[in-house]
Amino acid sequence: MPSRSRESESHDPLSDSEAGYGFADGATDDLAASLPQSLSIEVSLPTTVHAAPDDELAVAIVEVPVNPGSVEVAQPSTMSIAVVAPTPLPEPVPAPVVIPELPTNDGRALGRRDVSRRDAVTANPGRRDRSRGEVSHTPEAANMLTADRLIDARKKKPVKPEGGLNAFLYAATLHLVNLGDSPKVLARKAIEDRVDKRFEGGARFIPVLTRKGGVGKTTITALLGMALSDIREDRIIAIDANPDRGTLSERVNKQTRSTVRDVVTLAPSINSFNDFTTMVSRDETRLDILASDTDPLLSEAFDENDYNVVADLAARFYSIVLTDCGTGIVHSVMRATLQRADSVVIVSGGSVDEARLASETLTWLEANGYQDLVKNAVVALNTATQGTNLVKLEEIEAHFKSRVREIVRIPYDPQLAAGSVINYRELKPLTKASARELAALVVDGLPSRQGA
């Protein structure tokens, strides 16, 4: 047993492997004795240096520690800077331009006046310079094609004069003697030219009002509308806004039973002028009249909002809108009427109380912020009322002339005094002349452009 232990202790595993490779026992012992107890191997490699590219260096953050609790505060200071304005340089004086005189075809030198006239004709040729068929250097506007430029006066047929003696001489001399229209006809044509004033930018509203009934306010409204419609070619309408059963529609032959109430009710379905004309009555002068409510129990229902609906529709289809306002100037419709008014017509009778109440109407307008309407107002003095023969009408006119723009006398006419249908063609010449004068004065106060 002891001998077996010694063999196991002296047995070296290397010896078997070494024996397998052909090492002798002695060589194996010598090799084991020459090896150290511990073996360390050191390998030295070159140090790798990383070079950052330029794009990384551009966005690199410098590794400098920052203390957020430490903030350096600089002491405030002031600095004054003196601003000195530069010295202005003297303006250069232009050298005088010498314009030599231009010779003409006949060898004469053109003077300064001749050169200026020639330059003006060249820059802005007129009709006289175009009468010979010369061609403009610049395109002409359409307004250059006027009648006096295009129509040859020698070939134009002379206009037949109006007026007794002048027309007789023209006919008796076989159209050889033409003295033109008589002064009376010229005055009438001048009135018509004033009434036929052109408007731009929407309808014009003219309320006719007074504080007293029975002075012919409704008659004046119809008479004014007929005079305007007889001369003008556009559309005129008179609206009866009287809350006390107005009678404006009775001044013409009724063609419909529709009233302002029907217009308000059917307003959403009224899309054209033809739709609107089915609700108005038209007389021989082409004046359209829109009647008021015929039922007194419903008349008060026509208020400010209803009038605005009717007025908006009328403004779409008519150039001039007359409004018969009735006697209730404190009614809600009156405010809407005056807010749209471009001018007003005040009707006064020929008696003392009628003139005083008409003047109080002007005072009420001034007290309620309508001073401009008062200054531009026209007073129609109806001389057909009772008591006119006892009153000095010139004194009434003098009073109103101190407050309003104009005043017109409306003479007595049996047809107007009847209070029924008015036939404009059959009115007395003086009555028609007064109506035309009233229309001309009212149109004179209306602006040509809306908002002007």
Side-chain angles (χ1 to χ4, degrees):
M1 293 295 293
S3 62
R4 182 177 296 179
S5 302
R6 285 195 298 269
E7 290 177 0
S8 60
E9 293 174 358
S10 62
H11 179 71
D12 191 350
L14 185 59
S15 60
D16 294 340
S17 61
E18 291 174 348
Y21 287 100
F23 289 99
D25 295 338
T28 303
D29 296 337
D30 294 337
L31 179 59
S34 62
L35 292 175
Q37 295 295 325
S38 62
L39 179 61
S40 299
I41 300 175
E42 181 179 357
V43 179
S44 299
L45 298 176
T47 305
T48 302
V49 179
H50 175 70
D54 295 338
D55 55 348
E56 293 184 5
L57 293 177
V59 297
I61 300 177
V62 181
E63 295 182 357
V64 178
V66 179
N67 184 8
S70 175
V71 179
E72 295 181 1
V73 179
Q75 295 296 329
S77 61
T78 59
M79 179 181 295
S80 300
I81 301 176
V83 179
V84 181
T87 304
L89 299 176
E91 298 182 358
V93 180
V97 180
V98 179
I99 302 177
E101 296 181 350
L102 301 178
T104 61
N105 295 333
D106 56 359
R108 179 179 60 85
L110 289 175
R112 180 173 300 177
R113 180 178 300 176
D114 299 328
V115 173
S116 301
R117 182 182 181 277
R118 184 204 61 187
D119 294 340
V121 171
T122 303
N124 188 17
R127 292 191 299 268
R128 181 178 299 177
D129 302 289
R130 292 285 171 267
S131 60
R132 297 186 301 272
E134 298 178 2
V135 180
S136 175
H137 297 287
T138 58
E140 292 185 354
N143 56 9
M144 294 291 292
L145 297 176
T146 57
D148 57 349
R149 173 187 174 186
L150 302 179
I151 297 177
D152 191 349
R154 296 170 298 179
K155 300 180 181 180
K156 185 178 179 181
K157 185 179 180 179
V159 180
K160 180 180 179 180
E162 297 183 27
L165 180 59
N166 295 356
F168 174 77
L169 290 177
Y170 181 76
T173 59
L174 300 179
H175 303 174
L176 296 179
V177 178
N178 189 350
L179 300 180
D181 296 327
S182 64
K184 183 178 180 180
V185 174
L186 292 176
R188 176 179 59 81
K189 291 184 176 181
I191 290 291
E192 293 177 352
D193 291 338
R194 291 167 56 192
V195 175
D196 198 25
K197 180 180 179 180
R198 299 293 94 186
F199 297 128
E200 298 179 6
R204 304 298 188 271
F205 287 82
I206 307 169
V208 182
L209 55 106
T210 187
R211 291 192 64 181
K212 180 176 176 55
V215 296
K217 175 184 53 59
T218 299
T219 301
I220 297 299
T221 303
L223 190 63
L224 174 60
M226 292 177 181
L228 291 171
S229 301
D230 185 56
I231 298 175
R232 298 180 62 88
E233 297 180 356
D234 49 7
R235 300 166 181 167
I236 314 295
I237 187 174
I239 301 175
D240 193 345
N242 195 329
D244 301 324
R245 176 60 173 85
T247 59
L248 180 61
S249 61
E250 298 177 2
R251 297 299 185 268
V252 298
N253 292 319
K254 282 189 177 183
Q255 301 168 4
T256 178
R257 294 184 178 180
S258 299
T259 65
V260 290
R261 175 60 49 203
D262 299 314
V263 174
V264 174
T265 304
L266 301 176
S269 62
I270 300 177
N271 299 318
S272 64
F273 178 67
N274 292 333
D275 297 337
F276 194 87
T277 53
T278 59
M279 302 182 181
V280 299
S281 299
R282 179 173 298 176
D283 82 324
E284 58 182 354
T285 63
R286 299 180 302 106
L287 172 66
D288 289 347
I289 290 183
L290 180 59
S292 63
D293 291 330
T294 57
D295 189 350
L297 298 178
L298 298 177
S299 60
E300 284 297 332
F302 187 73
D303 57 8
E304 177 182 1
N305 296 328
D306 295 334
Y307 176 81
N308 286 327
V309 173
V310 176
D312 289 340
L313 285 174
R316 291 173 53 187
F317 308 121
Y318 295 90
S319 299
I320 297 179
V321 180
L322 305 177
T323 305
D324 186 359
C325 299
T327 58
I329 61 175
V330 295
H331 193 269
S332 62
V333 177
M334 182 62 64
R335 178 173 58 183
T337 304
L338 295 176
Q339 288 176 350
R340 293 175 179 265
D342 296 286
S343 180
V344 295
V345 175
I346 307 297
V347 180
S348 172
S351 63
V352 176
D353 60 335
E354 291 169 345
R356 183 182 295 116
L357 289 175
S359 182
E360 291 179 359
T361 303
L362 297 175
T363 304
W364 183 90
L365 291 174
E366 292 174 341
N368 287 271
Y370 300 104
Q371 295 86 351
D372 294 337
L373 288 179
V374 172
K375 295 178 181 179
N376 193 35
V378 177
V379 172
L381 180 58
N382 187 9
T383 61
T385 59
Q386 297 180 356
T388 302
N389 296 332
L390 302 177
V391 176
K392 300 178 181 178
L393 295 180
E394 60 274 8
E395 293 297 330
I396 297 178
E397 291 178 344
H399 168 77
F400 283 114
K401 285 182 179 180
S402 66
R403 307 193 64 180
V404 300
R405 180 167 54 88
E406 292 289 348
I407 182 172
V408 179
R409 286 191 189 185
I410 306 299
Y412 171 81
D413 193 295
Q415 189 178 171
L416 298 181
S420 59
V421 176
I422 299 175
N423 190 337
Y424 185 77
R425 308 299 181 193
E426 296 180 359
L427 291 174
K428 291 184 177 181
L430 183 58
T431 305
K432 294 174 66 175
S434 300
R436 289 169 176 260
E437 179 66 20
L438 175 61
L441 292 175
V442 171
V443 173
D444 289 343
L446 299 179
S448 299
R449 293 183 179 182
Q450 194 68 277

